[in-house]
């Protein structure tokens, strides 16, 4: 089992460029999450998907879009990157009835210049 | 919007000592309180979790103490080891994953 995988590991973008962060899990989890981690801020939820076909905004959704492609995959898209989106992005997954037990991917370190 | 407060921001402990990290929450609807451990360059991993109807939970050297009336909970690491050096996040969960909040984290360094 690979668990939760994320690609790419590192990315540098110029302001205004777009990109998609990919996430996949092989644990048969229903729920998937995208977080951003900034120093002193902990992890903040960007978007959440309880199941295939559903997505909900989290605490900091502005500037992001998501797609729950199927049960395994959940992608995060930045349409027009801004320096404020420089962060480490984590994807996570869980069973829908145990949201406190989330399994995290290794993260994507994104720098926007 | 910080619904979970955590202190201290950083902590240095000698090997064999006790590490204590404290958290406080505001929303009494939270029904699960997990702690996550994160090593540099890795994603967080669930360490231990507690429900509000329990005052204490112990797993090995890690213990959560929970005070429902004060809306506080803490993580105690007994006999701290250099391998415990990591960032620790408390969190609170209510219902589904959309209502899952992390504290800002505590960076623990255990000196050999």
């Amino acid at each position: 089992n690979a668990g939760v995988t994320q690609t790419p590991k590192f990315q540098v973008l110029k302001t205004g460029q777009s990109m998609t962060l990919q996430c996949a899990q092989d644990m048969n989890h229903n729920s998937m999450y995208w977080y951003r981690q900034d120093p002193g801020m902990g992890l903040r939820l960007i978007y959440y998907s309880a199941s295939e076909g559903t997505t909900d905004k989290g605490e900091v959704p502005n500037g992001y879009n998501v797609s729950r492609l199927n049960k395994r995959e959940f992608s995060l898209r930045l349409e027009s990157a801004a320096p404020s989106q420089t962060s480490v992005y984590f994807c996570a997954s869980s069973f829908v009835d145990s949201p406190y037990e989330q399994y995290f991917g290794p993260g994507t370190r994104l720098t926007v210049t | 919007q910080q619904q979970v407060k955590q202190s201290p921001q950083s902590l240095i402990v000698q090997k064999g000592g006790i590490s204590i990290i404290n958290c406080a929450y505001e929303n009494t609807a939270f029904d699960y309180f997990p702690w996550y451990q994160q090593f540099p360059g890795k994603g967080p991993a669930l360490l231990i979790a507690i429900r509000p109807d329990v005052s204490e939970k112990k797993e090995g050297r890690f213990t959560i103490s929970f005070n429902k009336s004060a809306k506080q909970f803490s993580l105690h690491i007994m006999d701290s080891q250099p391998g415990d050096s990591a960032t620790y996040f408390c969190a609170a969960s209510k219902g589904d994953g959309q209502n899952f909040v992390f504290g800002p984290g505590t960076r623990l360094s255990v000196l050999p």
Side-chain angles (χ1 to χ4, degrees), chain A residues 37 48 56-57 59 90 99-102 104-105, chain B residues 1 32 36 38 43-44 46 89 95 97-98 100 104:
Chain A
Q37 183 174 32
Y48 159 65
D56 288 292
K57 293 179 180 179
E59 181 183 354
F90 287 99
Y100 62 90
E101 188 172 356
Q102 296 183 20
F104 284 79
Chain B
Q1 177 188 349
Y32 224 101
Y36 280 76
Q38 183 180 28
L46 179 65
F89 294 94
Q98 191 175 17
F100 190 92

mmCIF file with all atom_site columns, all heavy atoms in Angstrom, chain A residues 37 48 56-57 59 90 99-102 104-105, chain B residues 1 32 36 38 43-44 46 89 95 97-98 100 104:
data_model
loop_
_atom_site.group_PDB
_atom_site.id
_atom_site.type_symbol
_atom_site.label_atom_id
_atom_site.label_alt_id
_atom_site.label_comp_id
_atom_site.label_asym_id
_atom_site.label_entity_id
_atom_site.label_seq_id
_atom_site.pdbx_PDB_ins_code
_atom_site.Cartn_x
_atom_site.Cartn_y
_atom_site.Cartn_z
_atom_site.occupancy
_atom_site.B_iso_or_equiv
_atom_site.pdbx_formal_charge
_atom_site.auth_seq_id
_atom_site.auth_comp_id
_atom_site.auth_asym_id
_atom_site.auth_atom_id
_atom_site.pdbx_PDB_model_num
ATOM 1   N N   . GLN A 1 37  ? -0.126  24.477 4.837  1.00 0.00 ? 37  GLN A N   1
ATOM 2   C CA  . GLN A 1 37  ? 0.579   24.636 6.102  1.00 0.00 ? 37  GLN A CA  1
ATOM 3   C C   . GLN A 1 37  ? 1.541   25.803 5.990  1.00 0.00 ? 37  GLN A C   1
ATOM 4   O O   . GLN A 1 37  ? 2.437   25.803 5.133  1.00 0.00 ? 37  GLN A O   1
ATOM 5   C CB  . GLN A 1 37  ? 1.352   23.364 6.484  1.00 0.00 ? 37  GLN A CB  1
ATOM 6   C CG  . GLN A 1 37  ? 2.047   23.473 7.832  1.00 0.00 ? 37  GLN A CG  1
ATOM 7   C CD  . GLN A 1 37  ? 2.684   22.178 8.269  1.00 0.00 ? 37  GLN A CD  1
ATOM 8   O OE1 . GLN A 1 37  ? 3.143   21.377 7.462  1.00 0.00 ? 37  GLN A OE1 1
ATOM 9   N NE2 . GLN A 1 37  ? 2.714   21.945 9.573  1.00 0.00 ? 37  GLN A NE2 1
ATOM 10  N N   . TYR A 1 48  ? -12.681 20.144 1.132  1.00 0.00 ? 48  TYR A N   1
ATOM 11  C CA  . TYR A 1 48  ? -12.986 18.832 1.687  1.00 0.00 ? 48  TYR A CA  1
ATOM 12  C C   . TYR A 1 48  ? -13.954 18.121 0.750  1.00 0.00 ? 48  TYR A C   1
ATOM 13  O O   . TYR A 1 48  ? -14.840 18.748 0.159  1.00 0.00 ? 48  TYR A O   1
ATOM 14  C CB  . TYR A 1 48  ? -13.597 19.032 3.072  1.00 0.00 ? 48  TYR A CB  1
ATOM 15  C CG  . TYR A 1 48  ? -14.413 17.912 3.623  1.00 0.00 ? 48  TYR A CG  1
ATOM 16  C CD1 . TYR A 1 48  ? -13.821 16.685 3.918  1.00 0.00 ? 48  TYR A CD1 1
ATOM 17  C CD2 . TYR A 1 48  ? -15.768 18.068 3.890  1.00 0.00 ? 48  TYR A CD2 1
ATOM 18  C CE1 . TYR A 1 48  ? -14.568 15.652 4.448  1.00 0.00 ? 48  TYR A CE1 1
ATOM 19  C CE2 . TYR A 1 48  ? -16.515 17.040 4.423  1.00 0.00 ? 48  TYR A CE2 1
ATOM 20  C CZ  . TYR A 1 48  ? -15.909 15.843 4.704  1.00 0.00 ? 48  TYR A CZ  1
ATOM 21  O OH  . TYR A 1 48  ? -16.647 14.836 5.229  1.00 0.00 ? 48  TYR A OH  1
ATOM 22  N N   . ASP A 1 56  ? -16.699 20.511 -0.599 1.00 0.00 ? 56  ASP A N   1
ATOM 23  C CA  . ASP A 1 56  ? -17.136 21.624 0.240  1.00 0.00 ? 56  ASP A CA  1
ATOM 24  C C   . ASP A 1 56  ? -15.950 22.513 0.558  1.00 0.00 ? 56  ASP A C   1
ATOM 25  O O   . ASP A 1 56  ? -14.822 22.027 0.706  1.00 0.00 ? 56  ASP A O   1
ATOM 26  C CB  . ASP A 1 56  ? -17.743 21.120 1.555  1.00 0.00 ? 56  ASP A CB  1
ATOM 27  C CG  . ASP A 1 56  ? -19.085 20.476 1.350  1.00 0.00 ? 56  ASP A CG  1
ATOM 28  O OD1 . ASP A 1 56  ? -20.036 21.195 0.994  1.00 0.00 ? 56  ASP A OD1 1
ATOM 29  O OD2 . ASP A 1 56  ? -19.167 19.241 1.522  1.00 0.00 ? 56  ASP A OD2 1
ATOM 30  N N   . LYS A 1 57  ? -16.223 23.806 0.703  1.00 0.00 ? 57  LYS A N   1
ATOM 31  C CA  . LYS A 1 57  ? -15.167 24.749 1.043  1.00 0.00 ? 57  LYS A CA  1
ATOM 32  C C   . LYS A 1 57  ? -14.752 24.575 2.495  1.00 0.00 ? 57  LYS A C   1
ATOM 33  O O   . LYS A 1 57  ? -15.572 24.271 3.356  1.00 0.00 ? 57  LYS A O   1
ATOM 34  C CB  . LYS A 1 57  ? -15.663 26.180 0.818  1.00 0.00 ? 57  LYS A CB  1
ATOM 35  C CG  . LYS A 1 57  ? -15.925 26.515 -0.629 1.00 0.00 ? 57  LYS A CG  1
ATOM 36  C CD  . LYS A 1 57  ? -16.444 27.936 -0.776 1.00 0.00 ? 57  LYS A CD  1
ATOM 37  C CE  . LYS A 1 57  ? -16.715 28.264 -2.242 1.00 0.00 ? 57  LYS A CE  1
ATOM 38  N NZ  . LYS A 1 57  ? -17.243 29.645 -2.418 1.00 0.00 ? 57  LYS A NZ  1
ATOM 39  N N   . GLU A 1 59  ? -11.715 26.410 5.364  1.00 0.00 ? 59  GLU A N   1
ATOM 40  C CA  . GLU A 1 59  ? -11.450 27.720 5.976  1.00 0.00 ? 59  GLU A CA  1
ATOM 41  C C   . GLU A 1 59  ? -10.862 28.723 4.993  1.00 0.00 ? 59  GLU A C   1
ATOM 42  O O   . GLU A 1 59  ? -11.162 29.915 5.068  1.00 0.00 ? 59  GLU A O   1
ATOM 43  C CB  . GLU A 1 59  ? -10.489 27.527 7.156  1.00 0.00 ? 59  GLU A CB  1
ATOM 44  C CG  . GLU A 1 59  ? -10.134 28.774 7.913  1.00 0.00 ? 59  GLU A CG  1
ATOM 45  C CD  . GLU A 1 59  ? -9.117  28.518 9.014  1.00 0.00 ? 59  GLU A CD  1
ATOM 46  O OE1 . GLU A 1 59  ? -8.767  27.346 9.268  1.00 0.00 ? 59  GLU A OE1 1
ATOM 47  O OE2 . GLU A 1 59  ? -8.637  29.508 9.602  1.00 0.00 ? 59  GLU A OE2 1
ATOM 48  N N   . PHE A 1 90  ? -0.783  19.844 1.733  1.00 0.00 ? 90  PHE A N   1
ATOM 49  C CA  . PHE A 1 90  ? -0.949  18.449 2.098  1.00 0.00 ? 90  PHE A CA  1
ATOM 50  C C   . PHE A 1 90  ? -2.329  17.951 1.685  1.00 0.00 ? 90  PHE A C   1
ATOM 51  O O   . PHE A 1 90  ? -3.332  18.628 1.900  1.00 0.00 ? 90  PHE A O   1
ATOM 52  C CB  . PHE A 1 90  ? -0.795  18.256 3.609  1.00 0.00 ? 90  PHE A CB  1
ATOM 53  C CG  . PHE A 1 90  ? 0.612   18.385 4.100  1.00 0.00 ? 90  PHE A CG  1
ATOM 54  C CD1 . PHE A 1 90  ? 1.056   19.568 4.668  1.00 0.00 ? 90  PHE A CD1 1
ATOM 55  C CD2 . PHE A 1 90  ? 1.498   17.325 3.988  1.00 0.00 ? 90  PHE A CD2 1
ATOM 56  C CE1 . PHE A 1 90  ? 2.355   19.694 5.125  1.00 0.00 ? 90  PHE A CE1 1
ATOM 57  C CE2 . PHE A 1 90  ? 2.800   17.440 4.436  1.00 0.00 ? 90  PHE A CE2 1
ATOM 58  C CZ  . PHE A 1 90  ? 3.234   18.632 5.010  1.00 0.00 ? 90  PHE A CZ  1
ATOM 59  N N   . PRO A 1 99  ? -13.385 11.093 10.863 1.00 0.00 ? 99  PRO A N   1
ATOM 60  C CA  . PRO A 1 99  ? -12.638 12.213 10.265 1.00 0.00 ? 99  PRO A CA  1
ATOM 61  C C   . PRO A 1 99  ? -11.436 12.653 11.087 1.00 0.00 ? 99  PRO A C   1
ATOM 62  O O   . PRO A 1 99  ? -10.550 13.313 10.573 1.00 0.00 ? 99  PRO A O   1
ATOM 63  C CB  . PRO A 1 99  ? -13.684 13.330 10.183 1.00 0.00 ? 99  PRO A CB  1
ATOM 64  C CG  . PRO A 1 99  ? -14.673 13.011 11.237 1.00 0.00 ? 99  PRO A CG  1
ATOM 65  C CD  . PRO A 1 99  ? -14.737 11.504 11.261 1.00 0.00 ? 99  PRO A CD  1
ATOM 66  N N   . TYR A 1 100 ? -11.417 12.247 12.382 1.00 0.00 ? 100 TYR A N   1
ATOM 67  C CA  . TYR A 1 100 ? -10.284 12.635 13.215 1.00 0.00 ? 100 TYR A CA  1
ATOM 68  C C   . TYR A 1 100 ? -9.037  11.823 12.861 1.00 0.00 ? 100 TYR A C   1
ATOM 69  O O   . TYR A 1 100 ? -7.924  12.202 13.193 1.00 0.00 ? 100 TYR A O   1
ATOM 70  C CB  . TYR A 1 100 ? -10.638 12.423 14.689 1.00 0.00 ? 100 TYR A CB  1
ATOM 71  C CG  . TYR A 1 100 ? -10.915 10.973 15.010 1.00 0.00 ? 100 TYR A CG  1
ATOM 72  C CD1 . TYR A 1 100 ? -9.896  10.123 15.418 1.00 0.00 ? 100 TYR A CD1 1
ATOM 73  C CD2 . TYR A 1 100 ? -12.192 10.452 14.853 1.00 0.00 ? 100 TYR A CD2 1
ATOM 74  C CE1 . TYR A 1 100 ? -10.135 8.793  15.673 1.00 0.00 ? 100 TYR A CE1 1
ATOM 75  C CE2 . TYR A 1 100 ? -12.440 9.118  15.109 1.00 0.00 ? 100 TYR A CE2 1
ATOM 76  C CZ  . TYR A 1 100 ? -11.410 8.289  15.517 1.00 0.00 ? 100 TYR A CZ  1
ATOM 77  O OH  . TYR A 1 100 ? -11.663 6.975  15.762 1.00 0.00 ? 100 TYR A OH  1
ATOM 78  N N   . GLU A 1 101 ? -9.207  10.675 12.212 1.00 0.00 ? 101 GLU A N   1
ATOM 79  C CA  . GLU A 1 101 ? -8.096  9.795  11.859 1.00 0.00 ? 101 GLU A CA  1
ATOM 80  C C   . GLU A 1 101 ? -7.760  9.979  10.387 1.00 0.00 ? 101 GLU A C   1
ATOM 81  O O   . GLU A 1 101 ? -8.186  9.197  9.527  1.00 0.00 ? 101 GLU A O   1
ATOM 82  C CB  . GLU A 1 101 ? -8.434  8.348  12.158 1.00 0.00 ? 101 GLU A CB  1
ATOM 83  C CG  . GLU A 1 101 ? -7.230  7.424  11.997 1.00 0.00 ? 101 GLU A CG  1
ATOM 84  C CD  . GLU A 1 101 ? -7.519  6.012  12.480 1.00 0.00 ? 101 GLU A CD  1
ATOM 85  O OE1 . GLU A 1 101 ? -8.628  5.780  13.012 1.00 0.00 ? 101 GLU A OE1 1
ATOM 86  O OE2 . GLU A 1 101 ? -6.635  5.154  12.313 1.00 0.00 ? 101 GLU A OE2 1
ATOM 87  N N   . GLN A 1 102 ? -7.010  11.019 10.107 1.00 0.00 ? 102 GLN A N   1
ATOM 88  C CA  . GLN A 1 102 ? -6.660  11.335 8.735  1.00 0.00 ? 102 GLN A CA  1
ATOM 89  C C   . GLN A 1 102 ? -5.248  10.850 8.422  1.00 0.00 ? 102 GLN A C   1
ATOM 90  O O   . GLN A 1 102 ? -4.349  10.900 9.264  1.00 0.00 ? 102 GLN A O   1
ATOM 91  C CB  . GLN A 1 102 ? -6.764  12.844 8.506  1.00 0.00 ? 102 GLN A CB  1
ATOM 92  C CG  . GLN A 1 102 ? -8.193  13.358 8.675  1.00 0.00 ? 102 GLN A CG  1
ATOM 93  C CD  . GLN A 1 102 ? -8.336  14.826 8.377  1.00 0.00 ? 102 GLN A CD  1
ATOM 94  O OE1 . GLN A 1 102 ? -7.515  15.437 7.705  1.00 0.00 ? 102 GLN A OE1 1
ATOM 95  N NE2 . GLN A 1 102 ? -9.414  15.412 8.876  1.00 0.00 ? 102 GLN A NE2 1
ATOM 96  N N   . PHE A 1 104 ? -2.079  11.454 5.928  1.00 0.00 ? 104 PHE A N   1
ATOM 97  C CA  . PHE A 1 104 ? -1.539  12.538 5.116  1.00 0.00 ? 104 PHE A CA  1
ATOM 98  C C   . PHE A 1 104 ? -0.517  12.063 4.095  1.00 0.00 ? 104 PHE A C   1
ATOM 99  O O   . PHE A 1 104 ? 0.224   11.104 4.325  1.00 0.00 ? 104 PHE A O   1
ATOM 100 C CB  . PHE A 1 104 ? -0.869  13.587 6.014  1.00 0.00 ? 104 PHE A CB  1
ATOM 101 C CG  . PHE A 1 104 ? -1.845  14.469 6.739  1.00 0.00 ? 104 PHE A CG  1
ATOM 102 C CD1 . PHE A 1 104 ? -2.492  14.021 7.872  1.00 0.00 ? 104 PHE A CD1 1
ATOM 103 C CD2 . PHE A 1 104 ? -2.108  15.748 6.278  1.00 0.00 ? 104 PHE A CD2 1
ATOM 104 C CE1 . PHE A 1 104 ? -3.402  14.830 8.544  1.00 0.00 ? 104 PHE A CE1 1
ATOM 105 C CE2 . PHE A 1 104 ? -3.017  16.568 6.931  1.00 0.00 ? 104 PHE A CE2 1
ATOM 106 C CZ  . PHE A 1 104 ? -3.660  16.101 8.072  1.00 0.00 ? 104 PHE A CZ  1
ATOM 107 N N   . GLY A 1 105 ? -0.478  12.776 2.979  1.00 0.00 ? 105 GLY A N   1
ATOM 108 C CA  . GLY A 1 105 ? 0.566   12.563 1.999  1.00 0.00 ? 105 GLY A CA  1
ATOM 109 C C   . GLY A 1 105 ? 1.837   13.288 2.415  1.00 0.00 ? 105 GLY A C   1
ATOM 110 O O   . GLY A 1 105 ? 1.860   13.963 3.451  1.00 0.00 ? 105 GLY A O   1
ATOM 111 N N   . GLN B 2 1   ? -9.434  32.938 12.353 1.00 0.00 ? 1   GLN B N   1
ATOM 112 C CA  . GLN B 2 1   ? -10.352 31.935 12.887 1.00 0.00 ? 1   GLN B CA  1
ATOM 113 C C   . GLN B 2 1   ? -9.544  30.805 13.507 1.00 0.00 ? 1   GLN B C   1
ATOM 114 O O   . GLN B 2 1   ? -9.270  29.806 12.863 1.00 0.00 ? 1   GLN B O   1
ATOM 115 C CB  . GLN B 2 1   ? -11.227 31.384 11.750 1.00 0.00 ? 1   GLN B CB  1
ATOM 116 C CG  . GLN B 2 1   ? -12.176 30.292 12.179 1.00 0.00 ? 1   GLN B CG  1
ATOM 117 C CD  . GLN B 2 1   ? -12.879 29.653 10.993 1.00 0.00 ? 1   GLN B CD  1
ATOM 118 O OE1 . GLN B 2 1   ? -12.810 30.157 9.888  1.00 0.00 ? 1   GLN B OE1 1
ATOM 119 N NE2 . GLN B 2 1   ? -13.529 28.547 11.203 1.00 0.00 ? 1   GLN B NE2 1
ATOM 120 N N   . TYR B 2 32  ? -14.188 15.081 19.301 1.00 0.00 ? 32  TYR B N   1
ATOM 121 C CA  . TYR B 2 32  ? -13.015 14.220 19.253 1.00 0.00 ? 32  TYR B CA  1
ATOM 122 C C   . TYR B 2 32  ? -11.787 15.113 19.230 1.00 0.00 ? 32  TYR B C   1
ATOM 123 O O   . TYR B 2 32  ? -11.777 16.134 18.551 1.00 0.00 ? 32  TYR B O   1
ATOM 124 C CB  . TYR B 2 32  ? -13.045 13.327 18.004 1.00 0.00 ? 32  TYR B CB  1
ATOM 125 C CG  . TYR B 2 32  ? -12.667 11.903 18.304 1.00 0.00 ? 32  TYR B CG  1
ATOM 126 C CD1 . TYR B 2 32  ? -13.641 10.926 18.431 1.00 0.00 ? 32  TYR B CD1 1
ATOM 127 C CD2 . TYR B 2 32  ? -11.343 11.534 18.493 1.00 0.00 ? 32  TYR B CD2 1
ATOM 128 C CE1 . TYR B 2 32  ? -13.303 9.620  18.726 1.00 0.00 ? 32  TYR B CE1 1
ATOM 129 C CE2 . TYR B 2 32  ? -10.994 10.237 18.783 1.00 0.00 ? 32  TYR B CE2 1
ATOM 130 C CZ  . TYR B 2 32  ? -11.981 9.278  18.899 1.00 0.00 ? 32  TYR B CZ  1
ATOM 131 O OH  . TYR B 2 32  ? -11.648 7.991  19.195 1.00 0.00 ? 32  TYR B OH  1
ATOM 132 N N   . TYR B 2 36  ? -1.534  15.052 16.503 1.00 0.00 ? 36  TYR B N   1
ATOM 133 C CA  . TYR B 2 36  ? -0.750  14.612 15.362 1.00 0.00 ? 36  TYR B CA  1
ATOM 134 C C   . TYR B 2 36  ? 0.720   14.958 15.583 1.00 0.00 ? 36  TYR B C   1
ATOM 135 O O   . TYR B 2 36  ? 1.041   15.980 16.198 1.00 0.00 ? 36  TYR B O   1
ATOM 136 C CB  . TYR B 2 36  ? -1.258  15.285 14.076 1.00 0.00 ? 36  TYR B CB  1
ATOM 137 C CG  . TYR B 2 36  ? -2.483  14.639 13.488 1.00 0.00 ? 36  TYR B CG  1
ATOM 138 C CD1 . TYR B 2 36  ? -3.741  14.843 14.060 1.00 0.00 ? 36  TYR B CD1 1
ATOM 139 C CD2 . TYR B 2 36  ? -2.392  13.801 12.384 1.00 0.00 ? 36  TYR B CD2 1
ATOM 140 C CE1 . TYR B 2 36  ? -4.866  14.237 13.527 1.00 0.00 ? 36  TYR B CE1 1
ATOM 141 C CE2 . TYR B 2 36  ? -3.515  13.195 11.846 1.00 0.00 ? 36  TYR B CE2 1
ATOM 142 C CZ  . TYR B 2 36  ? -4.738  13.416 12.426 1.00 0.00 ? 36  TYR B CZ  1
ATOM 143 O OH  . TYR B 2 36  ? -5.855  12.809 11.895 1.00 0.00 ? 36  TYR B OH  1
ATOM 144 N N   . GLN B 2 38  ? 4.429   15.448 13.539 1.00 0.00 ? 38  GLN B N   1
ATOM 145 C CA  . GLN B 2 38  ? 4.980   15.686 12.208 1.00 0.00 ? 38  GLN B CA  1
ATOM 146 C C   . GLN B 2 38  ? 6.494   15.825 12.284 1.00 0.00 ? 38  GLN B C   1
ATOM 147 O O   . GLN B 2 38  ? 7.005   16.703 12.981 1.00 0.00 ? 38  GLN B O   1
ATOM 148 C CB  . GLN B 2 38  ? 4.381   16.953 11.586 1.00 0.00 ? 38  GLN B CB  1
ATOM 149 C CG  . GLN B 2 38  ? 4.856   17.207 10.165 1.00 0.00 ? 38  GLN B CG  1
ATOM 150 C CD  . GLN B 2 38  ? 4.258   18.471 9.555  1.00 0.00 ? 38  GLN B CD  1
ATOM 151 O OE1 . GLN B 2 38  ? 3.925   19.418 10.256 1.00 0.00 ? 38  GLN B OE1 1
ATOM 152 N NE2 . GLN B 2 38  ? 4.109   18.494 8.243  1.00 0.00 ? 38  GLN B NE2 1
ATOM 153 N N   . GLY B 2 43  ? 4.426   14.401 6.170  1.00 0.00 ? 43  GLY B N   1
ATOM 154 C CA  . GLY B 2 43  ? 3.079   14.803 6.537  1.00 0.00 ? 43  GLY B CA  1
ATOM 155 C C   . GLY B 2 43  ? 2.784   14.430 7.982  1.00 0.00 ? 43  GLY B C   1
ATOM 156 O O   . GLY B 2 43  ? 3.440   13.557 8.551  1.00 0.00 ? 43  GLY B O   1
ATOM 157 N N   . PRO B 2 44  ? 1.817   15.092 8.617  1.00 0.00 ? 44  PRO B N   1
ATOM 158 C CA  . PRO B 2 44  ? 1.440   14.737 9.987  1.00 0.00 ? 44  PRO B CA  1
ATOM 159 C C   . PRO B 2 44  ? 0.906   13.310 10.056 1.00 0.00 ? 44  PRO B C   1
ATOM 160 O O   . PRO B 2 44  ? 0.367   12.791 9.081  1.00 0.00 ? 44  PRO B O   1
ATOM 161 C CB  . PRO B 2 44  ? 0.329   15.745 10.316 1.00 0.00 ? 44  PRO B CB  1
ATOM 162 C CG  . PRO B 2 44  ? 0.502   16.851 9.331  1.00 0.00 ? 44  PRO B CG  1
ATOM 163 C CD  . PRO B 2 44  ? 1.035   16.217 8.088  1.00 0.00 ? 44  PRO B CD  1
ATOM 164 N N   . LEU B 2 46  ? -1.338  10.645 12.840 1.00 0.00 ? 46  LEU B N   1
ATOM 165 C CA  . LEU B 2 46  ? -2.110  10.553 14.082 1.00 0.00 ? 46  LEU B CA  1
ATOM 166 C C   . LEU B 2 46  ? -1.297  9.847  15.154 1.00 0.00 ? 46  LEU B C   1
ATOM 167 O O   . LEU B 2 46  ? -0.763  8.763  14.932 1.00 0.00 ? 46  LEU B O   1
ATOM 168 C CB  . LEU B 2 46  ? -3.410  9.804  13.820 1.00 0.00 ? 46  LEU B CB  1
ATOM 169 C CG  . LEU B 2 46  ? -4.313  9.606  15.036 1.00 0.00 ? 46  LEU B CG  1
ATOM 170 C CD1 . LEU B 2 46  ? -4.824  10.950 15.553 1.00 0.00 ? 46  LEU B CD1 1
ATOM 171 C CD2 . LEU B 2 46  ? -5.485  8.695  14.695 1.00 0.00 ? 46  LEU B CD2 1
ATOM 172 N N   . PHE B 2 89  ? 0.787   18.741 16.805 1.00 0.00 ? 89  PHE B N   1
ATOM 173 C CA  . PHE B 2 89  ? -0.421  19.526 16.589 1.00 0.00 ? 89  PHE B CA  1
ATOM 174 C C   . PHE B 2 89  ? -1.576  18.907 17.362 1.00 0.00 ? 89  PHE B C   1
ATOM 175 O O   . PHE B 2 89  ? -1.836  17.703 17.229 1.00 0.00 ? 89  PHE B O   1
ATOM 176 C CB  . PHE B 2 89  ? -0.814  19.540 15.108 1.00 0.00 ? 89  PHE B CB  1
ATOM 177 C CG  . PHE B 2 89  ? 0.163   20.235 14.210 1.00 0.00 ? 89  PHE B CG  1
ATOM 178 C CD1 . PHE B 2 89  ? 1.146   19.514 13.554 1.00 0.00 ? 89  PHE B CD1 1
ATOM 179 C CD2 . PHE B 2 89  ? 0.100   21.605 14.015 1.00 0.00 ? 89  PHE B CD2 1
ATOM 180 C CE1 . PHE B 2 89  ? 2.050   20.151 12.715 1.00 0.00 ? 89  PHE B CE1 1
ATOM 181 C CE2 . PHE B 2 89  ? 0.998   22.246 13.182 1.00 0.00 ? 89  PHE B CE2 1
ATOM 182 C CZ  . PHE B 2 89  ? 1.977   21.518 12.531 1.00 0.00 ? 89  PHE B CZ  1
ATOM 183 N N   . GLY B 2 95  ? -18.286 16.125 14.116 1.00 0.00 ? 95  GLY B N   1
ATOM 184 C CA  . GLY B 2 95  ? -19.066 15.553 13.022 1.00 0.00 ? 95  GLY B CA  1
ATOM 185 C C   . GLY B 2 95  ? -18.204 15.159 11.852 1.00 0.00 ? 95  GLY B C   1
ATOM 186 O O   . GLY B 2 95  ? -17.392 14.266 11.944 1.00 0.00 ? 95  GLY B O   1
ATOM 187 N N   . GLY B 2 97  ? -15.567 15.838 8.355  1.00 0.00 ? 97  GLY B N   1
ATOM 188 C CA  . GLY B 2 97  ? -14.233 16.386 8.166  1.00 0.00 ? 97  GLY B CA  1
ATOM 189 C C   . GLY B 2 97  ? -14.192 17.852 7.851  1.00 0.00 ? 97  GLY B C   1
ATOM 190 O O   . GLY B 2 97  ? -13.127 18.469 7.921  1.00 0.00 ? 97  GLY B O   1
ATOM 191 N N   . GLN B 2 98  ? -15.322 18.425 7.495  1.00 0.00 ? 98  GLN B N   1
ATOM 192 C CA  . GLN B 2 98  ? -15.328 19.861 7.203  1.00 0.00 ? 98  GLN B CA  1
ATOM 193 C C   . GLN B 2 98  ? -15.115 20.668 8.475  1.00 0.00 ? 98  GLN B C   1
ATOM 194 O O   . GLN B 2 98  ? -14.684 21.807 8.444  1.00 0.00 ? 98  GLN B O   1
ATOM 195 C CB  . GLN B 2 98  ? -16.654 20.241 6.541  1.00 0.00 ? 98  GLN B CB  1
ATOM 196 C CG  . GLN B 2 98  ? -16.658 21.635 5.956  1.00 0.00 ? 98  GLN B CG  1
ATOM 197 C CD  . GLN B 2 98  ? -17.936 21.938 5.199  1.00 0.00 ? 98  GLN B CD  1
ATOM 198 O OE1 . GLN B 2 98  ? -18.939 21.250 5.368  1.00 0.00 ? 98  GLN B OE1 1
ATOM 199 N NE2 . GLN B 2 98  ? -17.921 22.950 4.369  1.00 0.00 ? 98  GLN B NE2 1
ATOM 200 N N   . PHE B 2 100 ? -12.989 20.242 11.144 1.00 0.00 ? 100 PHE B N   1
ATOM 201 C CA  . PHE B 2 100 ? -11.792 19.665 11.725 1.00 0.00 ? 100 PHE B CA  1
ATOM 202 C C   . PHE B 2 100 ? -10.766 20.773 11.777 1.00 0.00 ? 100 PHE B C   1
ATOM 203 O O   . PHE B 2 100 ? -10.393 21.322 10.744 1.00 0.00 ? 100 PHE B O   1
ATOM 204 C CB  . PHE B 2 100 ? -11.306 18.495 10.865 1.00 0.00 ? 100 PHE B CB  1
ATOM 205 C CG  . PHE B 2 100 ? -10.220 17.681 11.495 1.00 0.00 ? 100 PHE B CG  1
ATOM 206 C CD1 . PHE B 2 100 ? -10.534 16.575 12.264 1.00 0.00 ? 100 PHE B CD1 1
ATOM 207 C CD2 . PHE B 2 100 ? -8.890  18.018 11.314 1.00 0.00 ? 100 PHE B CD2 1
ATOM 208 C CE1 . PHE B 2 100 ? -9.534  15.815 12.846 1.00 0.00 ? 100 PHE B CE1 1
ATOM 209 C CE2 . PHE B 2 100 ? -7.888  17.276 11.892 1.00 0.00 ? 100 PHE B CE2 1
ATOM 210 C CZ  . PHE B 2 100 ? -8.209  16.166 12.655 1.00 0.00 ? 100 PHE B CZ  1
ATOM 211 N N   . PRO B 2 104 ? -1.936  25.602 16.151 1.00 0.00 ? 104 PRO B N   1
ATOM 212 C CA  . PRO B 2 104 ? -0.801  26.117 15.382 1.00 0.00 ? 104 PRO B CA  1
ATOM 213 C C   . PRO B 2 104 ? 0.473   25.300 15.495 1.00 0.00 ? 104 PRO B C   1
ATOM 214 O O   . PRO B 2 104 ? 1.401   25.504 14.727 1.00 0.00 ? 104 PRO B O   1
ATOM 215 C CB  . PRO B 2 104 ? -0.601  27.519 15.948 1.00 0.00 ? 104 PRO B CB  1
ATOM 216 C CG  . PRO B 2 104 ? -1.167  27.451 17.324 1.00 0.00 ? 104 PRO B CG  1
ATOM 217 C CD  . PRO B 2 104 ? -2.313  26.487 17.253 1.00 0.00 ? 104 PRO B CD  1
#
